[in-house]
Amino acid sequence: EPEVTQTPSHQVTQMGQEVILRCVPISNHLYFYWYRQILGQKVEFLVSFYNNEISEKSEIFDDQFSVERPDGSNFTLKIRSTKLEDSAMYFCASSAGTSDPKGETQYFGPGTRLLVL
Amino acid sequence: GNSVTQMEGPVTLSEEAFLTINCTYTATGYPSLFWYVQYPGEGLQLLLKATKADDKGSNKGFEATYRKETTSFHLEKGSVQVSDSAVYFCARSGGSYIPTFGRGTSLIVHP
């Protein structure tokens, strides 16, 4: 069964450094998403991406964050100048984009655990 | 705004016990409702969903009914197994397709 993959599974970085989290969505999916989950907190939406542009973003997704689909398979989240509070699990997801968006299933990757020291 | 409230865990049960995990949602609009499950070391997987009032979602022995009158979508299973141990997330769709998640409820099933 096709699945969303993410790399790395864990990343440790120093405060102020830039990190790039990578995702390979399911190959025929059209919508891509990033979420984060701070330890013990709820899963929070960051951004959605469709047709090579951001379609929706939350207030968390400020200028520190950017997303890119550099080729036909990867979908990346870049965090510039990381802060301690960026430490979280980051999930990528994708959806087919073929049915009613409100009820469509999103398929999640296993996540990247980011620790900022 | 849109929100989802689910019972705090952990929920600890013996194998074959009956499971209920409560979930309520804010009643704005006509949301779709979801239950996701996260097994240790894995991402979230859709467990079941319901897209309109009175719909029942079901999968792997789990069920949840979309109750508009009580704004609830409680997850139930008649007989849990050790392999059901995981974190369960209730979610609702908003005006767009972006789901709003609850905090998650950890389920621990003992043999």
Side-chain angles (χ1 to χ4, degrees):
Chain A
E1 187 176 332
E3 58 183 17
V4 176
T5 59
Q6 291 185 241
T7 54
S9 58
H10 294 79
Q11 173 124 24
V12 181
T13 190
Q14 295 292 321
M15 192 169 55
Q17 296 296 304
E18 175 182 286
V19 295
I20 298 176
L21 310 183
R22 290 183 168 79
C23 168
V24 179
I26 294 173
S27 63
N28 60 346
H29 281 187
L30 301 179
Y31 285 87
F32 315 115
Y33 314 84
W34 283 102
Y35 295 84
R36 78 174 184 190
Q37 183 183 25
I38 296 170
L39 188 64
Q41 305 293 316
K42 60 178 66 176
V43 176
E44 301 173 296
F45 166 73
L46 293 178
V47 66
S48 62
F49 194 85
Y50 172 73
N51 199 26
N52 283 320
E53 61 183 24
I54 291 173
S55 53
E56 194 165 340
K57 61 182 181 179
S58 72
E59 58 189 23
I60 303 169
F61 193 88
D62 59 21
D63 292 343
Q64 184 193 7
F65 296 89
S66 62
V67 289
E68 192 177 32
R69 188 155 163 81
D71 53 44
S73 60
N74 290 283
F75 179 51
T76 62
L77 174 69
K78 182 187 291 185
I79 309 175
R80 286 181 281 274
S81 189
T82 50
K83 299 175 284 193
L84 296 176
E85 54 265 38
D86 294 327
S87 295
M89 179 74 92
Y90 289 81
F91 293 105
C92 173
S94 68
S95 63
T98 56
S99 59
D100 176 13
K102 198 175 70 173
E104 188 161 82
T105 298
Q106 296 188 15
Y107 295 83
F108 284 76
T112 294
R113 185 169 294 284
L114 175 66
L115 178 60
V116 182
L117 302 176
Chain B
N2 297 326
S3 67
V4 171
T5 303
Q6 58 184 110
M7 62 190 289
E8 292 200 18
V11 173
T12 304
L13 296 172
S14 297
E15 207 165 23
E16 299 183 2
F18 184 87
L19 167 72
T20 299
I21 300 179
N22 290 338
C23 171
T24 56
Y25 63 93
T26 50
T28 51
Y30 301 93
S32 292
L33 302 173
F34 308 85
W35 276 102
Y36 283 84
V37 58
Q38 184 180 25
Y39 298 105
E42 299 183 15
L44 282 73
Q45 303 173 26
L46 180 67
L47 180 60
L48 53 85
K49 69 179 182 182
T51 56
K52 62 183 188 297
D54 300 325
D55 270 3
K56 177 186 283 188
S58 60
N59 186 26
K60 300 181 181 179
F62 291 89
E63 292 183 340
T65 301
Y66 190 142
R67 301 279 188 207
K68 190 176 178 183
E69 64 276 12
T70 55
T71 62
S72 65
F73 192 57
H74 304 323
L75 182 68
E76 296 181 336
K77 187 175 186 182
S79 175
V80 293
Q81 305 300 312
V82 172
S83 57
D84 293 327
S85 298
V87 181
Y88 292 82
F89 293 89
C90 185
R92 58 155 285 164
S93 63
S96 67
Y97 45 84
I98 305 301
T100 300
F101 288 89
R103 289 180 175 269
T105 302
S106 175
L107 171 66
I108 302 168
V109 180
H110 293 296

